[in-house]
Amino acid sequence: MVRGDISTVARLFSKAFRNSDKVAPELAPYLETIFFGSPHYRPENGSMVHEGENGVASAILAVPMEFSAHGRPIIARLLCAFMADGAEGAAGAARLARQMRAARQDMCFSDNSSPVSADHWIAGGGNVLPIQSLEWRRAFRPATAAALACSRAAPALGSRAVVTPLGWLDRTLRRRRRSITPAAIPDCRTIPATPDEFLACAEPMMQRFQVRPVWSKAEFDWLVGVASLNGRLGTLNFRIVLDGREQSIGAFLYFGRKGREATVLNLLCAAGREFEVVGQMFSSLDAEGYAAASGISQPFMMNAISRQRWLSFKHRGYFCLVTRHAEITDAALRNDIYIGGLASESWSRLLTDF
């Protein structure tokens, strides 16, 4: 894909995913920012289109991201949207899909594939990561949280006229059901952090994974910048968890909509400190007044997350990965991989806007 294709791809996206011939004015500039702006962008690791007789009829949108795989740097591709228009587009899509087969790729992944797309990934030599395909959700103010969850289908339920009286009900529920309030973790506290402080804390905590994002400063700053464009999810916040000796034992990064929901992108901790960090994260998010928090499931955090009360899981879309390197596949299947959040599409406006 070249920049000259952006307006056509914007129309294709709107038709395929929004069932509309009308293109939002901000969509084309956003596509250019995301798919041509990465510090690792090169034509050979970017998005792909297939041109038929009438122009571009199918496309795969991709963001290059640097990963470390068993100590070796590779450029992986995050695949964000696979779209086609009509019979000509379907034929082109089949050709594009063949380019994504395992034998051709260092590593490609997607975090919200449909069942049909997941089948294509598997047919191409890829794998589904079942735990990362789940989203956890912890309610702090259950009545408000339920209304906000239903507001995705019925927006009026998220209005202030509905949410405000539910806040009164939640205060009563929290007094009567003490389990709603997350237990405070003794000798732990959460402090605000700058992006640089978060990165400095998170980097050594990712070292225990054989496959993980590199997050050079240039790429991390770019990811934070493009994630911050997603106003629908709220403000981007960085937090560090300290223990009683004032040592950093965890860090988390989340979008917050005050009084509504917190969307956790990344959660990391020192090995063996999972219960403390998870408990402290939920306690601090509750103290900040959020009705609920949600985030991608990670295998190393599942035991600690699952001990929480007022918790639910749902399938968020298939997390798929394909690679020609057997050691990366092996690491992923052994859960020796850190992926998701900024190292996925969770921050993208293509999931929430336009």
Side-chain angles (χ1 to χ4, degrees):
M1 185 170 83
V2 297
R3 282 180 168 84
D5 296 321
I6 289 176
S7 59
T8 303
V9 170
R11 287 194 295 273
L12 186 60
F13 178 90
S14 297
K15 187 171 184 179
F17 295 107
R18 303 296 182 260
N19 196 28
S20 173
D21 291 323
K22 185 178 180 180
V23 180
E26 296 180 41
L27 178 56
Y30 187 75
L31 293 177
E32 182 170 10
T33 297
I34 300 303
F35 300 107
F36 290 93
S38 166
H40 297 298
Y41 170 75
R42 304 290 183 276
E44 62 270 18
N45 60 29
S47 305
M48 300 176 66
V49 298
H50 182 268
E51 289 191 2
E53 294 181 0
N54 299 311
V56 172
S58 54
I60 297 178
L61 301 183
V63 179
M65 293 184 172
E66 188 178 13
F67 272 71
S68 173
H70 297 82
R72 178 173 56 89
I74 62 169
I75 297 296
R77 284 204 280 184
L78 166 65
L79 303 187
C80 299
F82 190 9
M83 46 199 163
D85 183 21
E88 187 177 55
R95 296 188 65 179
L96 290 176
R98 287 195 291 271
Q99 299 298 315
M100 296 295 112
R101 289 184 175 271
R104 297 175 178 267
Q105 301 298 328
D106 276 337
M107 178 175 151
C108 286
F109 64 99
S110 173
D111 68 339
N112 64 347
S113 295
S114 68
V116 172
S117 294
D119 290 341
H120 285 301
W121 281 86
I122 293 170
N127 290 275
V128 170
L129 306 185
I131 294 179
Q132 287 90 339
S133 299
L134 297 174
E135 178 184 83
W136 53 260
R137 192 166 193 265
R138 210 292 190 188
F140 308 127
R141 289 154 181 84
T144 303
L148 293 174
C150 294
S151 71
R152 295 163 190 169
L157 292 176
S159 67
R160 183 172 295 181
V162 173
V163 169
T164 299
L166 289 178
W168 305 332
L169 175 59
D170 280 324
R171 284 191 283 275
T172 301
L173 289 172
R174 284 166 64 90
R175 284 195 300 268
R176 294 183 176 181
R177 300 292 297 273
R178 297 296 183 183
S179 62
I180 296 175
T181 304
I185 305 302
D187 299 324
C188 285
R189 65 189 184 99
T190 303
I191 61 171
T194 66
D196 286 347
E197 289 168 340
F198 172 88
L199 182 59
C201 181
E203 279 184 320
M205 295 176 184
M206 290 194 293
Q207 296 298 314
R208 59 166 150 158
F209 301 99
Q210 290 294 334
V211 180
R212 59 186 183 273
V214 171
W215 281 349
S216 66
K217 179 164 171 49
E219 183 179 29
F220 184 78
D221 287 348
W222 181 77
L223 286 168
V224 168
V226 293
S228 298
L229 299 175
N230 196 339
R232 286 281 184 93
L233 292 179
T235 303
L236 205 55
N237 299 278
F238 303 83
R239 299 288 187 266
I240 290 174
V241 177
L242 304 177
D243 66 9
R245 297 178 299 171
E246 295 293 290
Q247 298 296 309
S248 301
I249 61 170
F252 57 101
L253 160 64
Y254 68 97
F255 284 108
R257 297 179 65 199
K258 212 64 177 178
R260 292 181 172 249
E261 296 190 47
T263 303
V264 178
L265 292 183
N266 292 99
L267 171 61
L268 287 145
C269 70
R273 311 301 293 266
E274 290 82 4
F275 282 87
E276 295 161 279
V277 172
V278 166
Q280 182 60 30
M281 178 187 72
F282 284 131
S283 180
S284 62
L285 292 176
D286 174 56
E288 289 188 44
Y290 294 107
S294 62
I296 181 175
S297 296
Q298 296 284 359
F300 72 104
M301 287 289 190
M302 281 297 283
N303 193 9
I305 291 282
S306 298
R307 302 295 179 94
Q308 287 289 313
R309 306 292 298 276
W310 298 84
L311 181 82
S312 62
F313 290 95
K314 75 171 185 178
H315 179 72
R316 63 189 299 276
Y318 291 94
F319 203 118
C320 301
L321 181 147
V322 66
T323 175
R324 60 190 174 91
H325 301 293
E327 66 272 19
I328 296 180
T329 298
D330 179 64
L333 296 180
R334 288 187 294 103
N335 296 323
D336 196 5
I337 183 173
Y338 184 81
I339 198 167
L342 288 182
S344 74
E345 196 185 358
S346 303
W347 45 266
S348 176
R349 288 182 65 192
L350 296 182
L351 302 180
T352 59
D353 287 347
F354 309 117

